[in-house]
């Protein structure tokens, strides 16, 4: 066995899985298995690749082989997860929901809280959510015009966008952009480079919202309603830890395409919220990093290497020099699907329980009205 080539293919497969390039990852892991068919980890990776390719029978076979070679807990959990998923009813996989929950009291009923424990995300539903958003990206890819206009058109295909000079400045602090309720405001007095960065950042906030909204629709098997949108927005903004998660995610996506290290607004939230639980902050950052990779997977349909090069050229044209504002909680953690889905579920369940305990219906109904008004 050529251990060097084996390890090289394993490493390449891990990197391709992280970037969700599953077809190329399948080539890498197939080469690795040809070199060493007795590696349980290689079969474990093969199972994960097959999941990404929606080939669940092969994923189960690969996971069974991994467990046969080494009954390690991680391998057993993946095998059981695939088995449970393959036993799901057809109704659990549909996204064409007949139900329509649009009453806040009904939405927060105890039976619906129990649904958060019963009907969790699974790889197929989650990938359908991501790919549904990605399809919208494909419809709005523009090949003409300067990079600023391309990013502007993409962003406007998802949210209302307004450009106002110095519109979002708070006292002496300059804020590049702000997002809320499917609308973003960008400071037009900034260079085009910084406006592009702001649009990517605010669009990322919206895509996090879209992921959570679609997750809630799955859990409650409901069509999109103002109530569901209000709850998704409340979940992402009314708990400081999930607000940090949201901000960290948007910064990470922005930094990925702009090749920057700028976590300023994340750091500002930390500054004004003293005595936070460090472990909870780290967990929020881990989830934020994981969701950022999912959003990069979505946006890569638009941000081709050629467009990223155009951004670089815009940098040079604007002669932008930025101070790097890193993050002490920087995370490169890649959560497994089960842990990621469990954490998303925890965000929603914790929020729903807190709403009932604190009787927060007034604020939720205000959010609901804003979403209803935005529909016209």
């Amino acid at each position: 066995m050529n251990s060097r080539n084996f390890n090289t293919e394993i490493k390449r497969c891990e990197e391709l899985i992280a970037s969700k390039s599953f077809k190329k990852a399948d080539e890498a892991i197939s080469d690795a298995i040809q070199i060493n068919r007795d590696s349980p980890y290689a079969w474990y990776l093969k199972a994960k690749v097959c999941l990404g390719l929606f080939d669940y029978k092969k994923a189960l076979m690969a996971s069974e082989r991994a467990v046969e070679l080494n009954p390690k807990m991680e391998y057993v959990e993946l095998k059981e997860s695939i088995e449970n998923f393959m036993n799901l009813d057809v109704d659990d996989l549909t996204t064409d929901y007949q139900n329509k929950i649009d009453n806040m009291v009904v939405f927060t009923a105890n039976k619906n809280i129990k649904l958060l424990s019963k009907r969790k995300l699974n790889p197929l539903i989650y990938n359908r959510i991501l790919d549904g958003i990605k399809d919208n990206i494909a419809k709005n890819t523009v090949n003409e015009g300067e990079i600023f206009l391309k990013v502007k058109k993409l962003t406007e295909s998802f949210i209302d966008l307004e450009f106002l000079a110095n519109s979002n400045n708070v006292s002496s602090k300059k804020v590049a952009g702000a997002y809320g309720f499917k609308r973003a405001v960008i400071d037009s007095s900034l260079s085009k480079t910084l406006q592009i960065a702001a649009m990517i950042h605010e669009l990322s906030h919206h895509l996090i919202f879209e992921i959570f909204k679609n997750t809630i629709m799955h859990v409650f098997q409901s069509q999109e309603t103002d109530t569901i949108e209000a709850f998704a927005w409340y979940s992402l903004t009314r708990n400081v830890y999930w607000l940090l998660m949201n901000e960290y995610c948007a910064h990470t996506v922005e930094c990925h395409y702009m090749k920057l290290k700028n976590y300023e607004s994340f750091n500002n939230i930390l500054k004004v919220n003293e005595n936070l639980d460090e472990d909870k902050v780290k967990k929020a950052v881990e989830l934020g990093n994981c969701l950022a990779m999912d959003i990069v997977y979505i946006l890569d349909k638009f941000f081709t290497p050629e467009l990223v090069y155009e951004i670089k050229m815009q940098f040079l044209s604007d002669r932008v020099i930025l101070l790097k504002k890193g993050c002490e909680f920087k995370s490169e953690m890649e959560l497994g699907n089960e842990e990621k889905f469990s954490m998303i579920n925890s965000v929603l369940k914790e929020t729903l329980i807190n709403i009932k305990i604190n009787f927060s219906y007034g604020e939720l109904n205000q959010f609901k009205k804003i979403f209803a008004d935005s529909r016209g």
Side-chain angles (χ1 to χ4, degrees), residues 107-376:
F107 184 82
T108 55
N110 288 335
K111 66 176 183 178
N112 285 336
I113 294 178
K114 292 177 182 177
L115 277 177
L116 283 166
S117 298
K118 180 182 178 182
R119 190 178 288 130
K120 296 181 180 180
L121 283 168
N122 58 65
L124 182 55
I125 286 293
Y126 191 72
N127 285 331
R128 280 185 180 178
I129 289 172
L130 298 185
D131 288 336
I133 301 170
K134 193 167 186 172
D135 286 344
N136 288 331
I137 296 285
K139 293 174 187 175
N140 291 284
T141 299
V142 182
N143 296 319
E144 298 179 357
E146 60 178 306
I147 185 63
F148 173 83
L149 294 176
K150 291 175 184 176
V151 177
K152 178 175 178 288
K153 180 170 175 56
L154 172 71
T155 307
E156 287 178 328
S157 69
F158 283 93
I159 57 179
D160 293 330
L161 200 56
E162 188 173 3
F163 293 84
L164 297 174
N166 301 309
S167 60
N168 356 335
N169 290 349
V170 180
S171 62
S172 62
K173 290 185 178 180
K174 198 171 184 65
V175 182
Y179 167 80
F181 303 102
K182 299 182 180 180
R183 176 177 179 267
V185 179
I186 307 297
D187 187 345
S188 61
S189 68
L190 299 174
S191 67
K192 286 187 177 179
T193 297
L194 294 184
Q195 289 184 62
I196 290 170
M199 284 189 282
I200 294 173
H201 185 101
E202 307 313 333
L203 177 57
S204 297
H205 278 308
H206 177 72
L207 295 181
I208 300 167
F209 168 79
E210 283 291 319
I211 290 171
F212 272 72
K213 180 192 73 179
N214 278 277
T215 298
I216 297 162
M217 289 166 61
H218 164 67
V219 169
F220 296 110
Q221 301 286 282
S222 173
Q223 300 172 31
E224 178 183 309
T225 66
D226 299 326
T227 295
I228 285 176
E229 290 192 320
F231 179 67
W233 181 250
Y234 189 97
S235 299
L236 291 167
T237 58
R238 285 302 175 264
N239 177 302
V240 66
Y241 297 106
W242 309 138
L243 183 61
L244 283 167
M245 176 273 291
N246 196 339
E247 203 60 52
Y248 185 89
C249 178
H251 273 304
T252 301
V253 176
E254 175 192 347
C255 291
H256 177 82
Y257 292 112
M258 304 303 293
K259 308 304 178 187
L260 302 172
K261 296 295 180 186
N262 176 25
Y263 286 79
E264 184 174 12
S265 54
F266 175 88
N267 293 334
N268 288 338
I269 295 172
L270 288 177
K271 287 177 183 177
V272 298
N273 290 275
E274 298 179 355
N275 303 318
L276 291 178
D277 186 310
E278 188 170 315
D279 287 337
K280 287 185 178 180
V281 173
K282 288 179 179 178
K283 283 293 183 184
V285 166
E286 288 173 6
L287 179 57
N289 183 68
C290 193
L291 289 172
M293 295 304 99
D294 291 335
I295 292 174
V296 166
Y297 164 73
I298 292 169
L299 290 178
D300 271 350
K301 189 73 175 181
F302 175 81
F303 286 104
T304 61
E306 291 76 18
L307 288 194
V308 173
Y309 179 76
E310 288 183 42
I311 291 175
K312 181 179 179 181
M313 291 299 99
Q314 187 67 55
F315 254 107
L316 295 176
S317 174
D318 291 338
R319 298 182 179 180
V320 173
I321 300 176
L322 294 177
L323 295 176
K324 293 186 176 181
K325 298 170 183 177
C327 174
E328 64 176 295
F329 287 96
K330 180 69 178 173
S331 171
E332 296 181 358
M333 176 74 71
E334 295 176 8
L335 301 175
N337 276 338
E338 285 299 311
E339 187 173 3
K340 175 170 65 176
F341 298 158
S342 178
M343 289 182 72
I344 292 173
N345 180 268
S346 294
V347 173
L348 300 176
K349 191 170 184 178
E350 178 183 312
T351 302
L352 200 52
I353 290 172
N354 284 339
I355 287 169
K356 287 185 71 72
I357 291 174
N358 298 315
F359 208 72
S360 306
Y361 296 104
E363 190 170 17
L364 272 164
N365 281 318
Q366 287 179 3
F367 290 170
K368 179 179 175 179
K369 184 178 185 308
I370 294 171
F371 280 112
D373 291 344
S374 69
R375 294 181 193 275

Side-chain angles (χ1 to χ4, degrees), residues 43-70:
W43 286 104
Y44 169 74
L45 288 181
K46 177 70 174 179
K48 294 182 74 173
V49 169
C50 289
L51 284 176
L53 294 171
F54 305 115
D55 193 336
Y56 301 103
K57 288 184 179 179
K58 284 187 179 179
L60 181 58
M61 291 172 62
S63 67
E64 288 173 340
R65 179 61 175 155
V67 171
E68 180 185 336
L69 291 167
N70 182 3

